[in-house]
Amino acid sequence: DQQVKQNSPSLSVQEGRISILNCDYTNSMFDYFLWYKKYPAEGPTFLISISSIKDKNEDGRFTVFLNKSAKHLSLHIVPSQPGDSAVYFCAASSGAGSYQLTFGKGTKLSVIP
Amino acid sequence: NAGVTQTPKFQVLKTGQSMTLQCAQDMNHEYMSWYRQDPGMGLRLIHYSVGAGITDQGEVPNGYNVSRSTTEDFPLRLLSAAPSQTSVYFCASSPLGNAEKLFFGSGTQLSVL
């Protein structure tokens, strides 16, 4: 049973426009959420995170929104750039000391110049 | 900066063979972990360690052994390889106080024939 779901395997966006990547979770014990970015033939790299006590976290062009009642989070990239083309993984953990991240299947973002 | 180093990058095994995937980090991170990535499955946690001499199982530990004799190294052993273990393996590390923000190696692509 998938506890972290990324229902869109792929997304194409024009350069300069907004990219919105979505993630849903089912485990109500999750209270910390992260996005990782992965280029081909490389390991994932940490992008941005959000704690369940917040509903928004921003870092430059990247903003993550959390809707706890809907068990939904989204990553907004504005403006999108060709270098943002990668696979984005949503991940969740159930608190300090859990040491276990649960990942979604990923969404492949293509930013078209 | 070396970060997390995984060797080898590619490996082909025959069913029943054994091998060790190496992982070393130079960031003095207490937490280390192994993930596997399969097509359409995201990343799944195999084993993790919160310090030298301490290891624990993740989501998919069967068929794999780990040990942590030093802070720097966290090898993953396949005792008798099976075709179901064909996957890309990622090692990751992080400081204990920020265990979710993982630093990943570049991965080992393993094929078991």
Side-chain angles (χ1 to χ4, degrees):
Chain A
D1 182 33
Q2 253 192 297
Q3 298 186 68
V4 177
K5 301 177 184 179
Q6 295 178 255
N7 292 320
S8 297
S10 63
L11 174 68
S12 289
V13 171
Q14 207 73 27
E15 180 180 3
R17 306 296 291 267
I18 184 172
S19 295
I20 300 176
L21 293 88
N22 293 304
C23 178
D24 296 293
Y25 61 96
T26 58
N27 188 340
S28 57
M29 297 299 292
F30 288 149
D31 63 358
Y32 192 69
F33 305 89
L34 307 95
W35 286 93
Y36 282 83
K37 176 180 179 179
K38 185 184 181 303
Y39 292 118
E42 295 183 12
T45 55
F46 168 75
L47 186 59
I48 192 169
S49 63
I50 187 166
S51 165
S52 60
I53 63 173
K54 295 184 175 182
D55 55 16
K56 175 183 173 180
N57 189 27
E58 196 170 353
D59 184 1
R61 297 186 296 114
F62 302 91
T63 303
V64 56
F65 295 92
L66 176 62
N67 182 334
K68 284 185 294 182
S69 60
K71 293 191 175 67
H72 176 84
L73 63 154
S74 60
L75 174 69
H76 293 212
I77 306 173
V78 183
S80 301
Q81 299 174 354
D84 297 328
S85 297
V87 176
Y88 290 78
F89 290 99
C90 175
S93 75
S94 54
S98 70
Y99 303 123
Q100 297 200 40
L101 280 182
T102 301
F103 282 83
K105 293 183 178 182
T107 296
K108 183 176 182 180
L109 173 66
S110 299
V111 180
I112 304 162
Chain B
N1 295 333
V4 178
T5 303
Q6 289 184 238
T7 55
K9 291 193 180 301
F10 302 95
Q11 183 70 49
V12 179
L13 291 178
K14 294 182 179 178
T15 297
Q17 286 185 316
S18 63
M19 81 158 295
T20 299
L21 279 63
Q22 301 292 345
C23 176
Q25 52 94 7
D26 62 359
M27 297 173 283
N28 203 31
H29 287 165
E30 301 94 338
Y31 180 85
M32 296 187 74
S33 55
W34 278 100
Y35 285 85
R36 59 179 287 174
Q37 184 189 12
D38 301 298
M41 293 294 292
L43 289 94
R44 292 182 293 170
L45 181 64
I46 305 171
H47 284 286
Y48 66 96
S49 167
V50 298
I54 306 169
T55 63
D56 208 344
Q57 297 181 351
E59 181 185 356
V60 288
N62 292 340
Y64 308 95
N65 281 351
V66 292
S67 60
R68 184 96 179 268
S69 56
T70 67
T71 300
E72 296 77 19
D73 300 298
F74 191 44
L76 178 73
R77 297 184 186 84
L78 285 71
L79 297 180
S80 179
S84 61
Q85 294 178 304
T86 294
S87 188
V88 181
Y89 291 85
F90 290 101
C91 179
S93 73
S94 62
L96 260 188
N98 222 343
E100 296 92 348
K101 295 181 183 177
L102 298 169
F103 292 79
F104 282 88
S106 57
T108 295
Q109 188 163 337
L110 176 67
S111 295
V112 183
L113 306 177

